[in-house]
């Protein structure tokens, strides 16, 4: 875990809000599941107010220099992968940053940069792979979470078991359909009969 990594000044408020004290102790001491995984219009609006301009800049290809440091890269990944899912729920724009986020994550993993980060940072650095409509990237996501589980301190294991379960669930959906059926409406894609049956009870992951 690196506690002395450079953080771009504009990125610090986002990292503080998203990770709390987790960047220095591996996992936040205060629960953050509502922020990370909740479906709350008021929370979405607050995130839009605070970070909407940065999200727009990142989706337009900006803030490339943030990737020059591990925590800057993490913040850029959050702007591209996590925040659009809050700001643009059930819209195509929710997924507009996915390809760039996946490339940033893949580069960090390939260089070993990810292993310099705290557990909570690595969880969200790997999320673009979990969100990928690509079976090779899904397989990489599962490998990343398996490795993180092996390397993490014991107090993080129960949480990471859940992360790994969800990574495998995402991988299984892409293995079955080649894509995520819950995105079809937002992306203007026609669902197959099998996908429609799946969507009656299948997960939508907040979308």
């Amino acid at each position: 875990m690196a506690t002395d990594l450079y953080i771009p000044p504009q990125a610090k408020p986002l990292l503080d809000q998203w990770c709390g004290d987790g960047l220095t102790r591996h996992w936040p001491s205060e629960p953050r599941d509502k922020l990370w995984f909740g479906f709350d219009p008021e929370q979405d609006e607050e995130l839009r107010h605070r970070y909407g301009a940065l999200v727009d800049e990142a989706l337009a290809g900006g803030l490339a220099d943030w990737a020059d440091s591990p925590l800057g890269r993490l913040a850029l990944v959050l702007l591209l992968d996590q925040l659009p899912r809050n700001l643009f729920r059930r819209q195509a724009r929710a997924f507009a940053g996915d390809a760039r986020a996946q490339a940033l994550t893949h580069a960090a993993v390939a260089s070993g940069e990810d292993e310099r980060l705290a557990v909570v940072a690595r969880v969200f650095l790997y999320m673009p792979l979990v969100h990928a409509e690509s079976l090779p990237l899904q397989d990489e996501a599962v490998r990343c979470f398996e490795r993180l589980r092996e390397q993490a301190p014991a107090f993080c294991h129960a949480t990471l078991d859940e992360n790994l379960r969800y990574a495998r669930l995402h991988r299984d959906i892409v293995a079955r359909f080649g894509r995520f059926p819950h995105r079809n409406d937002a992306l203007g894609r026609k669902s197959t009969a099998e996908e429609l049956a799946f969507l009656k009870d299948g997960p939508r992951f907040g979308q």
Side-chain angles (χ1 to χ4, degrees):
M1 175 176 58
T3 59
D4 58 347
L5 298 176
Y6 173 73
I7 301 175
Q10 283 184 293
K12 191 175 188 307
L14 173 59
L15 291 175
D16 287 346
Q17 182 172 1
W18 203 264
C19 299
D21 59 357
L23 296 179
T24 58
R25 63 181 302 275
H26 278 302
W27 202 257
S29 55
E30 297 293 330
R32 270 172 161 66
D33 282 1
K34 180 182 177 182
L35 172 63
W36 295 341
F37 307 119
F39 189 173
D40 181 343
E42 289 187 8
Q43 176 177 272
D44 291 349
E45 188 56 38
E46 189 264 340
L47 292 171
R48 181 178 293 105
H49 175 73
R50 295 196 68 184
Y51 309 114
L54 287 173
V55 169
D56 288 341
E57 189 172 353
L59 292 179
L63 306 174
D65 60 312
W66 286 24
D68 292 342
S69 70
L71 287 174
R73 182 187 297 266
L74 171 64
L76 182 54
V77 165
L78 291 175
L79 292 177
L80 291 165
D81 177 76
Q82 290 291 316
L83 276 262
R85 285 165 165 75
N86 291 86
L87 272 56
F88 310 114
R89 289 187 192 273
R90 298 178 178 171
Q91 303 174 46
R93 194 163 169 78
F95 317 110
D98 285 14
R100 187 181 179 200
Q102 290 155 17
L104 288 164
T105 297
H106 188 74
V109 172
S111 69
E113 179 180 289
D114 58 318
E115 297 193 12
R116 297 178 59 193
L117 296 169
V119 169
V120 65
R122 290 175 68 176
V123 165
F124 285 98
L125 182 67
Y126 300 151
M127 282 297 177
L129 303 178
V130 176
H131 293 153
E133 291 189 318
S134 157
L135 190 54
L137 291 183
Q138 286 290 331
D139 287 336
E140 184 178 1
V142 172
R143 289 194 298 270
C144 285
F145 276 102
E146 288 173 342
R147 187 175 73 252
L148 178 56
R149 171 64 166 75
E150 292 172 359
Q151 296 173 342
F155 81 92
C156 294
H157 286 180
T159 297
L160 291 173
D161 286 342
E162 275 297 287
N163 289 130
L164 184 53
R165 183 174 73 85
Y166 274 98
R168 288 170 173 158
L169 174 61
H170 281 74
R171 193 246 337 251
D172 291 348
I173 293 171
V174 172
R176 178 178 175 185
F177 298 107
R179 60 187 186 178
F180 290 112
H182 68 274
R183 298 183 188 176
N184 288 349
D185 285 347
L187 295 174
R189 303 188 306 210
K190 183 175 176 59
S191 296
T192 67
E194 185 181 5
E195 287 175 331
L196 290 172
F198 172 79
L199 287 172
K200 289 181 180 178
D201 299 304
R204 301 190 66 93
F205 305 112
Q207 296 297 321

